[in-house]
Amino acid sequence: MSKPVTIALDAMGGDIGAGVVIPAAREYLRRDHETALILVGDDNILKKKLGPHPFGERLRIRHASQTVAMDELPSKALRNKKDSSMRVAIDLVKSGEANACVSAGNTGALMATSRFVLKTLPNIDRPAIITALPSVTGQTFMLDLGANVDCSAEHLVQFAVMGSETVAAVTDIANPKIGLLNIGQEEIKGNEQVKEAHELLLQSSLNYVGYVEGDDIYQGGTDVIVSDGFVGNIALKSSEGVAKMIRHFMTLEFKKNPLTKLAGLIAMPVLRAFRKRIDHRRYNGASLLGLRGIVIKSHGSADKLAFMNAISIARKEVSCDVPHRISEQVKTHLEKREIA
Amino acid sequence: MSKPVTIALDAMGGDIGAGVVIPAAREYLRRDHETALILVGDDNILKKKLGPHPFGERLRIRHASQTVAMDELPSKALRNKKDSSMRVAIDLVKSGEANACVSAGNTGALMATSRFVLKTLPNIDRPAIITALPSVTGQTFMLDLGANVDCSAEHLVQFAVMGSETVAAVTDIANPKIGLLNIGQEEIKGNEQVKEAHELLLQSSLNYVGYVEGDDIYQGGTDVIVSDGFVGNIALKSSEGVAKMIRHFMTLEFKKNPLTKLAGLIAMPVLRAFRKRIDHRRYNGASLLGLRGIVIKSHGSADKLAFMNAISIARKEVSCDVPHRISEQVKTHLEKREIA
C-alpha cells in the first residue's frame, strides 16, 4: 500500500476552532479511506475533545502551544507565534510530513506565514487567493480575492496562468476560459493595469476570452475570472452581502403570519433544494496559489460540512500536484514570451 | 400659480426608447400634477406614439433628429450627434427651459455630453454617479458607480461630500453616515488612495464612520458608501449578477414538476411580497452628481415603473436644488480645510 496523503489541519483556527475541525476530520476520514489527517493545536484540549476513534494512525495530534487570534496583525503573528497551530501546520507542509494544510484562521496571517515558510514558486512574484463560486451553468473560479491590493499588469497575467492551471488540474476542463474583470463602459473601459494586462493576455497561450463584467461571475461562460485582490474581495463580499439580504427578506416574508408560515411549510422542499444550489458551504475552501506547497483557507465561520469541503479541496490539489503544474505552466508561458 | 417644474426626457434612449418613455410620462403626469415633461426625440415618431392626451402644456414634444446608439463611443456621440435626443435634452437643462433631464441612453455618452454642456461645479474635479440600493434596514446610497476609473484620495473626498449632501437633500437623514469601501484584511488594508482618503475624511466635517466592506452595502448602518468608479461598478454588477442567479435557481426549482409548481402557486403571495422588497425597478435612477444641472440616468432596460422612478428622482433633486447644495457644501468643506 502506498503512503496515504497527509493533510495538516489547524485545529485551533476559525471562529469555533476544534469544535468544528474535529467533527469535520472524523466525518472526512469516514468517507475517504486513503487520507491521513494531523490535528495541530493544544495537545490537552485536542485529546479531550477528540476522545477515542477508529482511525488509528490516520488521525494524529501534533502539539502547538500558541493560537493566532482572528484579528491579530499578520506581522505580529509571524514574529511572535512561532509555535502557533497555524504555523506548525504550515511547517509540516514545509518539512514534507504533510502534503497540504487547511486553516480557518486569520487570512492575512495565513498568507504571510505561508509565504514566509514555504516561499513563492519560481517566476511567481505574489501568491493569490482563488475560490470557486456558483454560477447559472456550474461554477466560476475567481482570483485574487484579497492577497494583493495593488497589482501590475504582469501580476494579473501571473494570476491568469495560476488560475488556468489550477482549474485544469482540479476540474475536467482541459483549457479553461479566462476572463479579465472590468467595467463595461466604452473608452473609459478599465484602468491602466487592466488595459495592459488585456494586451498581454491576448498575446499569451492562455484561452483568454477578454473582458468580463461583475455580473458575468454568476452567469457562467467563463471558467476563471482574474482581478486584483482589492476588486476581487469587494466583488466577493458584495455578492455575499446581497445573498444574505435576500435570505433575510425571504425569511421575513415567510414568517409574517400563520398563513405565510403555512405557505413556507408547503414550499419547504422547494426552498431547501433552492438553498442547496447556492449553499456557500459547498464552495468553502480558498486556495493560496503560487506557493511551494498547498495551503487552503477555510472560512472563519465554516461549519462541519464546509470545513470538510476545504479538506476535499486540499486532497484534490495534492493528487493533481497543483504547485508543480503551476510552476511548469509559468515556465512554458515565459519561454513562449521570450521566443515571441 | 407658480411655474411648474419641467423635466426633459430623452424619449429615444434605452433599449426600448419611446415605447417605455411615453407610457411612463403619461402615468407620471397622472400622479404628479405640478410637473411638466418634455419628450425629446423624433417628432414624427413621438407624435404618432403619443396620440391625444389630457395634459395640455404639461406634456410637450421637442424635435431632435438624431439618436445616440447604446454602444456608440462617447467621443463620437459628442462630436457627431449634436441634434440627438440626449444632447437636446441636456441643452434644455443648460438653457433653463428644463430643470432636469432623464435619459436611459448610453451612460458614457450621457456623462461626456452632460459634462461638456453643463460643466462641473466649482471645486469639483469630476462628476460621479450615485444610486440608492436596498439594504436590510432601508437603503444605502453608493458612489461612484463607473464614471471614474482612477481616483485620487482628493476625488474620493469630493465624492463623499457630494454623496453626503445629496442624501441629506433627498432623504430625511440630516447628517448621513459616510463609509469608505475597503477590504478587511489588516495591514494590507486598502490601496494607497483609500488609505489617504481615510485620513482626509477623518479630518473632515462629514459624519465619517470609517471603512466598510462589500457586504456592508446591503446590511445597512451606513447611508453613503464611497469608492472609485471601477470598484463601485464591479460591486454593483456583481450584486446584480448574484440576485439574477438566485432568481434563476428559484424559478427553476419551483418549475421542476407539478408538485413544486403547486407549492409555488401557494407561496406566490409571499414570493411576490419578497420580490417587491428587492425590486430593482424601485431603485432605478442614478444621478450624475457634480454638474451644474440635474441629469438622471435610467437603466437601459428600464420598464414603465422603473422609468417613472427615475423621473421622481429628477423631480426630487429639482425641489431640493441638489447642485446648489453640493456647491455650498464643497465651499464650506474647503474653507474648513483652509482654516485647519
Side-chain angles (χ1 to χ4, degrees), chain A residues 75 187 213 237 253 277, chain B residues 74-75 187 213 237 253 277:
Chain A
S75 56
E187 285 183 289
E213 290 193 58
K237 289 280 177 76
E253 287 298 341
R277 280 187 183 264
Chain B
S75 56
E187 285 185 289
E213 290 193 58
K237 288 283 177 78
E253 288 298 343
R277 280 186 182 266

Side-chain angles (χ1 to χ4, degrees), chain A residues 257-276:
Chain A
N257 61 47
L259 220 62
T260 59
K261 278 182 193 163
L262 184 65
L265 219 58
I266 292 165
M268 187 65 83
V270 189
L271 293 174
R272 207 173 276 146
F274 155 69
R275 275 187 199 133
K276 201 179 160 192

Side-chain angles (χ1 to χ4, degrees), chain A residues 189-257:
Chain A
K189 200 160 202 165
N191 53 32
E192 286 313 312
Q193 302 92 285
V194 168
K195 280 184 202 163
E196 202 188 322
H198 175 70
E199 294 305 322
L200 292 172
L201 286 168
L202 283 174
Q203 292 155 32
S204 78
S205 55
L206 295 168
N207 186 8
Y208 177 59
V209 298
Y211 293 135
V212 293
E213 290 193 58
D215 46 350
D216 292 313
I217 304 169
Y218 303 96
Q219 301 315 305
T222 319
D223 303 307
V224 182
I225 292 184
V226 176
S227 74
D228 72 49
F230 191 88
V231 170
N233 186 281
I234 299 273
L236 184 73
K237 289 280 177 76
S238 307
S239 305
E240 286 175 4
V242 168
K244 222 160 114 183
M245 178 185 69
I246 289 176
R247 268 200 307 281
H248 170 82
F249 283 142
M250 194 139 79
T251 310
L252 216 66
E253 287 298 341
F254 275 113
K255 288 197 169 160
K256 213 179 219 167
N257 61 47

Side-chain angles (χ1 to χ4, degrees), chain A residues 8-36:
Chain A
L9 308 180
D10 168 5
M12 316 303 276
D15 301 339
I16 304 158
V20 157
V21 177
I22 290 177
R26 280 179 166 275
E27 183 65 26
Y28 184 84
L29 291 176
R30 225 169 275 139
R31 298 187 191 183
D32 174 356
H33 300 279
E34 284 161 6
T35 300

